[in-house]
Amino acid sequence: MKIESVEMLSDDAARVFTDEIDCVYLRLSYLRELPPERICAGETVTEDEKNEIADAALAFAAERKAEDYLARCEQSRAGLTRKLLQKEYGKKYIEMALDYLENKKYLSDERYATSWLRMHCSTKLQGRTRLASELMVRGISRQTAQQALDEFFADNDEEEICRRAFLKACRKKSGEKLIKFLADSGFPYKMITKVMSKTPESDDEV
């Protein structure tokens, strides 16, 4: 395959025209063996090198789709992987793309966890253990989840959240069912009993 012309785009992305393919978009940093300087007009590439260019183009396509999702809101790596697989991008190319985006700080599980906690806890009254479980279900590592939770509860009193959850739940539940509900919401038993003993069920605050 012969490269007829190359148009450099932003960063190290390029549009390449060849005698076999009208044009292909790729990021030069996705090339593993083929030196980027050989991506130039007049250069002839071998079959293996052509396959490497194809791989770089497929990774770049996965990257651009991932960026579409990231432009809407923060994403986790696991969540993006799942969405891209559903769009039928190859796992190999997804890994290449997400490695690049993480390296560039465009993708961050730490930022996602912080953002998810802020949004989720604006409507849900839940404790640390439930929130940790919810984050890990979303593919966030235990260490990253704990770090995000430490930061969240540094600014938000878990016992106060438990009190509000108790006041809201006691309108429909009582006794063991109420305790079970609060425990399932992630609050420690000791905290639940403390809140229940200190907070009148008639308190109007929620």
Side-chain angles (χ1 to χ4, degrees):
M1 182 177 76
K2 184 177 181 180
I3 297 174
E4 295 184 333
S5 64
V6 177
E7 179 185 349
M8 294 305 300
L9 307 174
S10 59
D11 204 351
D12 68 336
R15 181 165 59 176
V16 180
F17 297 85
T18 78
D19 61 347
E20 295 183 12
I21 306 169
D22 183 26
C23 77
V24 60
Y25 292 85
L26 70 151
R27 188 173 296 289
L28 300 181
S29 57
Y30 289 138
L31 297 171
R32 294 292 182 259
E33 302 296 332
L34 181 61
E37 57 269 21
R38 287 193 53 210
I39 304 298
C40 62
E43 189 74 28
T44 298
V45 299
T46 66
E47 191 67 23
D48 286 344
E49 291 169 340
K50 183 173 75 171
N51 290 336
E52 187 176 355
I53 289 172
D55 283 350
L58 289 167
F60 189 47
E63 175 198 322
R64 289 192 293 178
K65 187 61 180 178
E67 286 180 331
D68 286 344
Y69 288 119
L70 288 166
R72 300 173 197 171
C73 62
E74 292 286 357
Q75 305 280 338
S76 67
R77 180 168 182 134
L80 264 184
T81 297
R82 183 177 63 255
K83 290 174 182 177
L84 292 172
L85 286 171
Q86 288 172 348
K87 294 294 183 181
E88 300 187 349
Y89 291 94
K91 187 170 179 57
K92 170 184 176 181
Y93 309 117
I94 293 171
E95 293 297 315
M96 291 168 67
L98 300 190
D99 284 348
Y100 173 84
L101 292 171
E102 282 186 334
N103 185 57
K104 290 292 186 178
K105 308 300 183 186
Y106 300 143
L107 171 65
S108 166
D109 275 1
E110 291 81 4
R111 281 203 314 270
Y112 170 81
T114 298
S115 175
W116 183 86
L117 283 170
R118 184 173 62 252
M119 295 296 294
H120 182 79
C121 294
S122 67
T123 57
K124 300 284 187 179
L125 300 172
Q126 294 177 335
R128 176 183 283 265
T129 57
R130 175 65 181 272
L131 293 171
S133 176
E134 294 279 0
L135 283 170
M136 286 186 282
V137 163
R138 288 163 174 76
I140 302 302
S141 71
R142 183 179 299 274
Q143 181 179 353
T144 299
Q146 291 302 329
Q147 180 181 336
L149 286 163
D150 286 345
E151 293 175 0
F152 178 79
F153 285 113
D155 297 325
N156 298 273
D157 184 354
E158 186 177 10
E159 186 173 314
E160 173 58 20
I161 296 172
C162 182
R163 187 185 74 86
R164 291 169 59 203
F166 162 70
L167 289 171
K168 186 174 182 179
C170 71
R171 298 170 181 173
K172 297 181 179 180
K173 297 176 174 62
S174 61
E176 291 301 316
K177 288 185 178 180
L178 177 55
I179 293 173
K180 183 179 184 304
F181 172 79
L182 293 172
D184 289 345
S185 295
F187 300 106
Y189 180 77
K190 185 176 181 180
M191 182 182 293
I192 294 168
T193 55
K194 179 181 178 182
V195 164
M196 292 178 71
S197 67
K198 289 172 57 179
T199 309
E201 294 187 14
S202 60
D203 193 328
D204 292 330
E205 292 184 44
V206 176

